[in-house]
Amino acid sequence: MIKRARNKSDPSEVTTLVDASSGPRHVAIIMDGNGRWAQSRGRPRLFGHHAGAKRVREIVEACPDLGVEYLTIFAFSTENWKRTQTEVAGLMSLFRRYITSQARDLKDNGVRVRFIGDRVKLEASLIKMMDDLEALTADNTRVHLTVAINYGGRDEVARATKRLAQDVAAGKLDPDGIDEETLPKYLDTCLLPDPDLVIRTSGEARISNFLLWQSAYAEYEFIETLWPDFSPEVFAGVVEGYAGRDRRYGGVRNA
Ligand code: FPP
């Protein structure tokens, strides 16, 4: 159920609250459209990524009022290395700048940050910053923000399978005991619930290798809005739309 509450000290400010029992607990977002947003303004693609980074902060802050406990965002895919060297370097430097400028705020605002993806291809200095931010925010519980960097769903399943096979070879895991509950324990997302809602901005209706295993029963929302235009109001509207959906997980609606 969606409720709207007025701020007592400023009645013109209306907050959207979603009944946690019907709203999505975990929202995952494919933040697409930064390049087109910049190009439509005659600006370089990195200008769009910078505008997109500003949105991340606002969307994280909107989560508690919407009942969203977990937010997972796709910041850089295993395929994004194919972009120009300028764009890749610009994105890596944006991640660094984001961590440096936001660390204290994230810590003070109760945001727990985690990173998923394969870190081996990332620069050591960036990995160190990611580790430090995870440690700094490890006790926070208000919002769980997971940032996917050098992440690909197939790559994640392959890496998980390798570790699982190593455990079998070492005698720590009995192959006869492997079932649907086993593999998720080896995924990067092992500490997260599965996403309830996956949003992709910019009008593209693809999942692009994002959270393949975890999204088996997620609801999808593909919206036209480009990521830098994805305001907390647009976010609230999408979450509101989710609350009206009937999730049956392959079963039938209760009579
Ligand atoms: C896709 O848009 C976007 C990306 C590959 C990068 C996403 C990164 C950010 C939103 C910024 C930083 C994030 C953090 C966590 C600081 P696109 O470039 O493919 O857009 P296009 O399809 O219009 O070309």
Side-chain angles (χ1 to χ4, degrees), residues 173-191:
L173 186 65
D174 175 5
D176 287 336
I178 296 174
D179 60 16
E180 277 190 32
E181 310 294 319
T182 313
L183 188 72
K185 293 184 184 137
Y186 290 83
L187 295 174
D188 298 349
T189 52
C190 59
L191 299 173

Side-chain angles (χ1 to χ4, degrees), residues 64-94:
D65 282 346
L66 295 171
V68 175
E69 293 171 53
Y70 293 83
L71 179 73
T72 300
I73 55 173
F74 206 178
F76 194 90
S77 76
T78 45
E79 289 72 37
N80 285 153
W81 298 104
K82 294 179 200 152
R83 296 187 176 208
T84 64
Q85 210 268 329
T86 307
E87 185 168 350
V88 170
L91 277 166
M92 294 299 151
S93 121
L94 180 57

Side-chain angles (χ1 to χ4, degrees), residues 18-242:
V18 178
D19 180 339
S21 60
S22 59
R25 183 174 179 223
H26 183 176
V27 176
I29 308 183
I30 301 172
M31 308 179 289
D32 197 9
N34 295 347
R36 276 164 283 166
W37 185 90
Q39 279 162 346
S40 72
R41 286 162 176 75
R43 304 296 298 269
R45 296 175 56 81
L46 276 169
F47 181 70
H49 294 315
H50 280 265
K54 286 196 191 123
R55 280 296 179 201
V56 169
R57 190 79 193 94
E58 291 177 60
I59 297 306
V60 173
E61 271 313 298
C63 283
D65 282 346
L66 295 171
V68 175
E69 293 171 53
Y70 293 83
L71 179 73
T72 300
I73 55 173
F74 206 178
F76 194 90
S77 76
T78 45
E79 289 72 37
N80 285 153
W81 298 104
K82 294 179 200 152
R83 296 187 176 208
T84 64
Q85 210 268 329
T86 307
E87 185 168 350
V88 170
L91 277 166
M92 294 299 151
S93 121
L94 180 57
F95 299 147
R96 279 197 183 81
R97 195 190 300 192
Y98 186 84
I99 293 173
T100 308
S101 65
Q102 301 291 319
R104 182 44 54 187
D105 247 33
L106 290 162
K107 159 90 176 150
D108 293 347
N109 285 312
V111 181
R112 177 167 188 175
V113 183
R114 294 183 177 93
F115 294 93
I116 57 170
D118 190 0
R119 298 184 187 198
V120 292
K121 266 182 100 173
L122 304 177
E123 278 190 17
S125 60
L126 177 57
I127 297 172
K128 164 97 172 62
M129 292 171 88
M130 290 157 62
D131 287 341
D132 288 350
L133 184 58
E134 285 185 335
L136 181 72
T137 61
D139 294 331
N140 285 347
T141 54
R142 186 165 158 260
V143 185
H144 295 261
L145 170 66
T146 302
V147 185
I149 297 183
N150 193 28
Y151 175 87
R154 289 182 172 182
D155 176 69
E156 179 191 31
V157 171
R159 285 186 288 107
T161 307
K162 186 174 172 180
R163 288 199 299 275
L164 187 151
Q166 285 165 343
D167 278 356
V168 169
K172 292 186 202 157
L173 186 65
D174 175 5
D176 287 336
I178 296 174
D179 60 16
E180 277 190 32
E181 310 294 319
T182 313
L183 188 72
K185 293 184 184 137
Y186 290 83
L187 295 174
D188 298 349
T189 52
C190 59
L191 299 173
L192 308 177
D194 283 345
D196 302 295
L197 173 65
V198 180
I199 302 169
R200 181 174 189 143
T201 58
S202 93
E204 309 287 349
R206 292 189 292 273
I207 58 171
S208 296
N209 207 6
F210 189 42
L211 302 177
L212 296 181
W213 174 283
Q214 300 87 338
S215 299
Y217 286 103
E219 298 289 322
Y220 280 90
E221 191 69 46
F222 299 102
I223 64 163
E224 294 296 322
T225 311
L226 302 177
W227 175 253
D229 293 327
F230 190 82
S231 63
E233 291 72 27
V234 176
F235 186 34
V238 177
V239 169
E240 193 162 336
Y242 167 93

